[in-house]
Every structure is written in structure tokens, then in C-alpha cells.
Amino acid sequence: MTGDDIYCIGKKGHNAKPGAIPPQSKEVQGGKKATHLQVFPADVVLSPGGSADFTVRAFNDKGQLLGEAKGEWSLAGMRPPEGAPPPPPGMQPPPPPPPIKGKLSATAGSATKFTADNTPPGQFGRILIKDGELVGEARVRVAPSLPFAADFSKVPEGRTPGGWVNTQGKFAVVKEGGNMVLKKTATNASPLVARANAFIGTPNLTDYTIQADVMAKQVRDDMADAGVVANRYTLVLIGNTQTLRLISWDAIPRVDKTISYPWKPGEWYTLKLTCEIKGDKAHVRGKVWPRGKSEPKEWTVEFTDPLPNREGAPALFANATGILPGQTGAEAFFDNVKITPNKGADTKPEK
């Protein structure tokens, strides 16, 4: 096999007859009683105020379609993530998430239409249908649209913001310095958990600016990393090397603008990253300054990408370091997260 063709190589002059194709086994017919309800579509991403139509089908014990089903529709909260770590000792588990906020066009029958509330700006939840003992469900994500400003004071402590992806079990809203902020947890050393992007919007967003206050803790000789992401470009402060990096595709950086930048653990800094798509290029610029100081006029790092990332979800990046068995490592914190479209940019999420 190659990238374009498949070749069959055999002996010269080979003339054996092909073997007979065995008869196809007959499908075993199941019963006529429904044992499973399937809601279609099963996963939906909406913007605040957006809507989607749902239908339900019934299947028997052999997975064979019986046809349209009917039942009672309702709204529910999201399921807790599988494998999520338990709350730290002394902290009570957060309350179960509330039902997704919105309206159903019908509460009974084979179809309904869900319309999400305009507020809150982001949320998760499920659309349920029940027929006797059978329950079917669909997952709904309401992703924040731009412009957006995070308000962590409205998120229960220990939970993560609604509508954000890749945060459960990796981030948590906590009280730090008297304010509610988002923390990157540092209790699991697995690279799949310790290092993470918290995606805020939809992946088709483009041409916008993200700004956030970041702070990193130090444990022993390790200091956490913290950054922001726009259009799949990352502006990140690296704790252990005391550098500021503006990169794309961190595993094998396709573009990399790294400079020395001394920064202190336990102190807040403001990161600002913008990506402007102009024709067949992207102008990517980033700056950093101590929080509370005046924003500098000049950009700290910048480059023009001739092969631009034309779109990508805004995100917060963090890498918790120095995690040992039974010992919490160096954590990163985020506050005052703001995302704004650049002038003239089309940042409407997919419908």
C-alpha cells in the first residue's frame, strides 16, 4: 500500500482459480420489543440562543431498528466525567450540575426542538426521553460566543465553567487571594492530565484576541507553565526555563518565537495574544506585563506565519510540574479571561 495506490504482487504465470466465497450468514431476527432508545443527533454544539431538532428511534435486543418511538422529553444536567479524581481531603464534592437551561417545543411525542437560553454564556446538559423503563439521551454543549468575559464567581467552587471543553478533572474553580479563579490541578503526573488546554469556544473561531491574568506556584525546584491560545497559536510563560514562548504545534514547533523572560512564582502577570488573518498570512503578536501595571504599547513577541492556522478555539494552557506520588505539584491560576473579535472579523460559531 502507498499513499495513493494499492498493489497486489503475485507469482508470474499464476493461474489458480479463486476460492469460493462462503455464503453470508443469515441475520438473527430479534424480538419486536424495544430495548434501547436512540436520540438523534446524539451530540450537539450550539451558541447561546441556538436551537436543534431531536428525534428518537427504538431498537430491539439484537440492535435492529424497530422504527420511530415516542416518550416524555425532559432536560437534565451533564454526567460527571468518568475517572475524575475525588475532591481533595476536607473538601465536599460539588453539587450535581443543574439541568441545561432552555426550552423544549414538545414534552411528549417522537420529536422535539430544544432552544438554549441566551444566558449563561456557556453550559452543558442532556436532552432525555423516557418510554416506560427505557431512557435515551443526547448531549448538548452551549459554547460561549464572542465577545466573552469569564466570571468565575458564578461557578461553584470545585467545578469548571459551563461550555468549556477538556477541563473536567484537570481544572477547578477555587478561591485564591479572596477571588474566585480557575486553577490547573497538580495531583496527577500523567502528561494527559498535568498538561492541558482548556478550550473555551468552538474550533471554527478566527481572527480574535485573548487576554488573561496568569499566576504560577513553585514547589521545590519546579514552577508551573501558564499561557493563552488563539487560532492554535500559544503564548506561554515557562516556569522552569524562565522564558516566554509564542509557538504553534508544541510537540514539533512549526513556528517558535522564544525569548528570555524572568517571572516570579506567586505573582500575577497579564498575557495578551492576537491573531489577525490577512490574505494568505497570519500576523501573530503577544505581550506580557505584571498585572496592575500599564499595558506596554509594543508587543513582546510577534511573527508573520506564511502558512497560517486560519481558525481554532480560544483556550487557556497550563502545565503542572513537580508532581510526586501523594504530593501536589506546582499549580497554575487564571483570572480576568477576555476574548474579543478583531475589527471586521467574523467570529460566529457554527450553527
Side-chain angles (χ1 to χ4, degrees):
M1 180 181 293
T2 71
D4 301 306
D5 303 286
I6 297 177
Y7 297 90
C8 182
I9 302 174
K11 295 181 178 180
K12 186 177 181 180
H14 183 71
N15 57 6
K17 295 181 179 180
I21 299 176
Q24 185 176 357
S25 59
K26 294 183 179 180
E27 182 179 6
V28 178
Q29 293 297 317
K32 296 183 178 181
K33 181 181 178 180
T35 59
H36 174 72
L37 297 180
Q38 180 190 68
V39 179
F40 180 83
D43 283 280
V44 171
V45 179
L46 301 174
S47 57
S51 60
D53 295 305
F54 294 90
T55 58
V56 60
R57 296 176 289 190
F59 293 80
N60 63 17
D61 58 336
K62 300 297 183 182
Q64 296 160 335
L65 178 63
L66 298 178
E68 183 182 89
K70 295 182 179 180
E72 302 293 326
W73 296 94
S74 61
L75 303 178
M78 59 178 252
R79 292 182 180 274
E82 295 184 5
M91 180 179 290
Q92 294 295 324
I100 190 169
K101 294 183 179 180
K103 295 181 179 180
L104 294 173
S105 63
T107 57
S110 60
T112 191
K113 182 177 183 178
F114 171 72
T115 302
D117 280 1
N118 282 312
T119 56
Q123 54 176 328
F124 286 111
R126 293 175 293 155
I127 310 299
L128 302 183
I129 187 167
K130 185 175 182 180
D131 180 13
E133 298 297 322
L134 300 180
V135 179
E137 66 178 50
R139 300 189 302 179
V140 177
R141 175 196 179 198
V142 180
S145 54
L146 307 190
F148 170 75
D151 186 354
F152 298 131
S153 67
K154 295 183 178 179
V155 182
E157 190 170 2
R159 295 281 299 279
T160 55
W164 293 30
V165 175
N166 197 41
T167 56
Q168 290 81 11
K170 301 178 183 181
F171 294 81
V173 170
V174 298
K175 184 173 288 187
E176 177 72 21
N179 295 324
M180 300 301 290
V181 300
L182 184 68
K183 178 182 76 173
K184 174 65 190 72
T185 59
T187 55
N188 189 331
S190 168
L192 300 177
V193 180
R195 183 185 184 91
N197 285 308
F199 296 105
I200 301 171
T202 54
N204 66 307
L205 293 177
T206 186
D207 214 352
Y208 57 86
T209 298
I210 181 171
Q211 178 174 317
D213 295 339
V214 303
M215 186 263 285
K217 294 290 184 70
Q218 184 172 356
V219 174
R220 295 174 293 275
D221 294 329
D222 285 294
M223 184 175 170
D225 309 332
V228 293
V229 181
N231 271 57
R232 305 200 307 276
Y233 298 99
T234 302
L235 178 68
V236 55
L237 285 166
I238 307 297
N240 288 342
T241 60
Q242 292 290 283
T243 55
L244 175 70
R245 302 185 71 194
L246 179 55
I247 56 175
S248 179
W249 303 108
D250 185 42
I252 305 178
R254 182 177 60 81
V255 290
D256 187 346
K257 193 78 170 180
T258 300
I259 65 170
S260 174
Y261 189 88
W263 59 303
K264 299 178 181 180
E267 295 190 9
W268 286 93
Y269 295 82
T270 301
L271 288 173
K272 187 175 184 178
L273 174 63
T274 186
C275 176
E276 294 180 279
I277 304 298
K278 296 182 178 180
D280 58 353
K281 298 179 181 180
H283 194 190
V284 188
R285 298 173 291 178
K287 64 175 68 173
V288 57
W289 67 94
R291 186 170 77 171
K293 301 292 185 179
S294 299
E295 177 180 345
K297 294 182 179 180
E298 301 296 326
W299 294 93
T300 313
V301 288
E302 60 183 305
F303 61 76
T304 298
D305 190 355
L307 298 172
N309 303 328
R310 294 190 173 275
E311 57 187 17
L316 304 178
F317 169 80
N319 180 29
T321 58
I323 304 172
L324 297 177
Q327 299 183 45
T328 300
E331 302 164 327
F333 298 82
F334 300 87
D335 196 9
N336 297 320
V337 180
K338 301 176 183 178
I339 310 168
T340 55
N342 297 329
K343 186 177 180 179
D346 181 7
T347 57
K348 295 180 181 179
E350 295 176 346
K351 295 181 179 180

